[in-house]
Amino acid sequence: MLNRLRAECVRKGPNFMRYPLSFTPFAVKKHVLQQVLCWQFSHALAEGELDFLEGRWLGIDITDLGLCWRMTVREGRIELADGTHADAWFRGQANDLLLIAARRQDPDTLFFQRRLIIEGDTELGLEVKNLMDAIELETLPAPLRIGLLKLASFVEAGLNEDANSSLDCAGKLC
């Protein structure tokens, strides 16, 4: 019973979050995202690993949340903006992007399954993908790393339960 509840939360959770996010002003989203991204990429910024974004815009679109922003690096700091112009775009669903961030899914696999879409400047897209692959989870602040891994475990188990429950119903009315 609890496994099915978890599967429903994982499957429908992004749709529930989409509604309040649609009414949240971009300034609030920007503040929260900027804090999380600066926290997550503080080591990469300090090491100069994000310098390739200087003067270039990367768009992130979490399609099922309706959450979309652009980011760049200016004077060693991450800067966010809304809008539609970006040199490269990463588009995907929340659960998939979360599993990529937690190293539970390979971005190349999701790309070939068309669950991760990379558009625009392919060189920039590859640099971002390589950076995502190179960031060690151990360099993330402990609360962020632990929260990310626990949420990824929850999502992964929910996705597995959802896939298994459809097999249990084969030939039956569910």
Side-chain angles (χ1 to χ4, degrees), residues 5-139:
L5 180 61
R6 175 178 43 211
E8 285 296 307
C9 287
V10 168
R11 193 166 48 85
K12 294 182 179 178
N15 288 331
F16 289 127
M17 292 177 59
R18 183 183 184 106
Y19 185 72
L21 283 172
S22 69
F23 290 106
T24 306
F26 183 75
V28 174
K29 291 186 257 189
K30 177 181 176 179
H31 179 73
V32 171
L33 285 167
Q34 195 144 13
Q35 293 298 316
V36 171
L37 290 172
C38 286
W39 200 22
Q40 180 178 359
F41 292 113
S42 62
H43 182 69
L45 281 167
E47 296 293 319
E49 294 172 3
L50 290 175
D51 288 350
F52 68 89
L53 272 177
E54 186 86 33
R56 299 165 86 187
W57 287 94
L58 171 68
I60 309 292
D61 184 6
I62 306 175
T63 55
D64 54 347
L65 291 179
L67 186 59
C68 182
W69 73 90
R70 300 175 306 134
M71 65 181 279
T72 190
V73 171
R74 185 167 291 148
E75 297 174 9
R77 295 188 48 161
I78 292 176
E79 184 177 306
L80 299 180
D82 60 353
T84 58
H85 173 73
D87 297 302
W89 279 96
F90 272 65
R91 299 181 200 281
Q93 294 191 351
N95 291 334
D96 290 334
L97 295 174
L98 175 73
L99 292 174
I100 289 171
R103 302 291 190 272
R104 302 284 175 90
Q105 275 285 358
D106 178 46
D108 291 329
T109 300
L110 294 180
F111 176 77
F112 289 115
Q113 293 174 351
R114 300 195 191 285
R115 292 169 46 195
L116 173 65
I117 298 167
I118 304 171
E119 297 174 329
D121 183 340
T122 54
E123 180 184 331
L124 178 60
L126 285 174
E127 286 183 83
V128 171
K129 187 196 83 59
N130 291 338
L131 175 69
M132 289 173 16
D133 288 340
I135 291 179
E136 297 295 327
L137 290 177
E138 293 75 31
T139 64

